[in-house]
Amino acid sequence: MSAFRTGRGILCLVTHGQRLAARTDCSGKRVEDLLVRQVSEAASAEVDLVQIREPDLEPRHLYRLVERCLDAAAGRATRILVNDRADVALSAGAHGVHLRADSYAADRVRAIAPSGFIVGRSVHDPDVAAAAVAGGALDYIIFGTVFASASKAAGHRTAGIQGLAAAVAAARPLPVLAIGGVSTRSAPAIRATGAAGVAAIGLFLPGEVDAEPTLADTVHRLRSAFDTPANVS
C-alpha cells in the first residue's frame, strides 16, 4: 500500500475526543479543536495513520472534523481514515476507512472507492484474520485486544502475545497492527511476532500510563522498536 513505507513500522493513532479533553489543560476549548491539534502533532511526528473514531458525532459534525483533520495533515505523509463511516470518508475526501469487526464487507467499499483508498478492518480472532486475507479487499487489519486496556471493561478477554502471533501468521501477507494496552515497553515483543505496527488511543495521549512526555517522543520510541530488523518466530 502506498501509505506504508517498506521496512518501516506502521503507527496508527485512534482518536477519542473525550479522553483527550480529560488529559489536557486547555479548558474551554472545543473537543473538535483539541482533536485537530492532536492530528496536526501526529502528522508532524510522522504517524502513518490517524483513525477518526468519534462515534457520538452527528454525520455533519464528523464530516467537518474530518475536513479539518485533512487540512491539518496536508503536505504530510499521514493518512486520515474514518472509523466505519465510508460515506463520510468518501464525501470528505479522506484517505480511507477503518471497518469495525461486525461491519459491512470490505469489497463493498472497494467497489465504489477511488484508487489508493485505504480499507482496514478490526478482527479479534486469528481465523477471522485468515478470512480477511482471503477476501482480498483489505489493506491491513487491526488485531486485539492484545493486553488489558483502559478502553475495555475489566475482565475483557485479551489475546496476549501468543494470540497476536497467531493472527499475524494467519493474515500473512496482510499487515497486522496490534491494539489494546500496547506501550513503548511492549513494542519490541509485538514486533517480534511479525506484527507490522501498533494502533492505540491512550499511548498517544498526554499523561497516560506508559506514554512519553510528548506525542513525538512516543513516536520516536516506537520507531526505535519497529524500524529495525527483528527475529520473527
Side-chain angles (χ1 to χ4, degrees), residues 2-21:
S2 60
F4 302 153
R5 282 164 274 189
T6 303
R8 185 175 171 93
I10 303 169
L11 308 182
C12 176
L13 183 155
V14 182
T15 72
H16 193 306
Q18 295 304 321
R19 282 180 67 182
L20 175 62

Side-chain angles (χ1 to χ4, degrees), residues 1-230:
M1 179 167 39
S2 60
F4 302 153
R5 282 164 274 189
T6 303
R8 185 175 171 93
I10 303 169
L11 308 182
C12 176
L13 183 155
V14 182
T15 72
H16 193 306
Q18 295 304 321
R19 282 180 67 182
L20 175 62
R23 285 292 185 178
T24 65
D25 57 2
C26 300
S27 59
K29 293 201 70 175
R30 291 188 306 168
V31 173
E32 180 181 303
D33 293 334
L34 297 175
L35 286 166
V36 172
R37 190 176 74 173
Q38 184 189 37
V39 170
S40 178
E41 292 177 1
S44 295
E46 298 188 349
V47 169
D48 300 282
L49 304 175
V50 172
Q51 182 193 144
I52 307 299
R53 186 185 183 277
E54 303 298 325
D56 295 331
L57 287 184
E58 295 180 5
R60 63 191 179 93
H61 293 149
L62 178 61
Y63 180 93
R64 182 179 66 196
L65 173 61
V66 172
E67 280 198 319
R68 291 188 65 191
C69 289
L70 285 166
D71 287 342
R76 305 283 187 171
T78 301
R79 296 294 177 257
I80 305 298
L81 314 181
V82 182
N83 185 69
D84 213 56
R85 293 298 302 262
D87 56 338
V88 173
L90 290 166
S91 61
H95 302 109
V97 67
H98 181 81
L99 302 175
R100 300 192 316 265
D102 59 353
S103 191
Y104 41 85
D107 56 7
R108 289 178 54 188
V109 179
R110 189 61 71 199
I112 61 173
S115 176
F117 193 76
I118 301 170
V119 183
R121 180 181 292 282
S122 292
V123 302
H124 308 299
D125 181 272
D127 290 338
V128 178
V133 178
L138 293 173
D139 294 296
Y140 72 94
I141 62 174
I142 291 180
F143 177 82
T145 303
V146 178
F147 308 113
S149 167
S151 298
K152 301 296 183 182
H156 183 83
R157 185 172 67 89
T158 58
I161 286 294
Q162 289 185 336
L164 174 61
V168 169
R172 286 193 179 102
L174 207 62
V176 176
L177 310 185
I179 196 169
V182 299
S183 69
T184 54
R185 289 185 298 175
S186 63
I190 291 169
R191 176 70 177 92
T193 69
V198 297
I201 296 173
L203 183 58
F204 296 107
L205 292 178
E208 290 275 341
V209 176
D210 290 330
E212 298 295 318
T214 69
L215 194 153
D217 290 334
T218 296
V219 170
H220 178 74
R221 286 284 302 276
L222 292 171
R223 290 283 177 224
S224 297
F226 279 96
D227 295 355
T228 55

